[in-house]
Amino acid sequence: MKKLSFLFLVLLLFLTACATPPNGNNGIVGIPKGEFLAAYDSPNGEYTLNVWLCNGGATTDYAIRGELLNHETGYRKNVYWNYHESDAAVQWVDDNTVTVNGHTLNIHEETYDFRRD
């Protein structure tokens, strides 16, 4: 019975790892949703950067999450995640580039995650 339980656990861990999307072009994964702050449309209207305030509770500071929405496909991905921030200054540079709190990102190729800075 122990062997069967162990095999089930290994299989479950394997399936969970396979079902979790990789970081990179799929955006930043595993972060809280937060409270909606604002939406910023790209100049051509194809994308919206939704900004969320994440409150970790009494022992954790605020963080800002930037979620990119592709209006054509409906696909959403996290492109910005920064700790010790409670507001966001967002400026679209062009149709494919956005600056959030001083971090400039090509929305097709880059993300910002303070944990990798």
Side-chain angles (χ1 to χ4, degrees):
M1 186 65 176
K2 286 183 180 181
K3 192 173 190 177
L4 184 60
S5 295
F6 176 75
L7 288 174
F8 177 75
L9 180 61
V10 169
L11 179 63
L12 183 63
L13 290 172
F14 175 77
L15 291 174
T16 302
C18 290
T20 303
N23 198 353
N25 226 14
N26 291 326
I28 305 163
V29 297
I31 56 179
K33 183 173 182 172
E35 176 185 332
F36 180 75
L37 290 181
Y40 301 88
D41 293 327
S42 64
N44 64 4
E46 289 183 23
Y47 300 95
T48 297
L49 185 73
N50 294 311
V51 177
W52 303 80
L53 176 64
C54 300
N55 180 357
T59 60
T60 308
D61 202 0
Y62 288 101
I64 292 292
R65 177 174 73 92
E67 172 193 70
L68 184 70
L69 168 63
N70 180 326
H71 289 285
E72 183 178 327
T73 64
Y75 181 70
R76 297 171 185 266
K77 73 175 182 177
N78 294 313
V79 296
Y80 184 83
W81 177 241
N82 203 9
Y83 191 53
H84 301 300
E85 292 182 342
S86 58
D87 59 357
V90 176
Q91 177 72 42
W92 283 90
V93 176
D94 57 36
D95 294 335
N96 303 303
T97 310
V98 65
T99 300
V100 183
N101 292 345
H103 300 277
T104 301
L105 306 171
N106 176 312
I107 61 171
H108 303 291
E109 300 172 1
E110 299 174 300
T111 61
Y112 178 78
D113 185 340
F114 76 93
R115 299 170 295 185
R116 291 173 178 77
D117 194 14

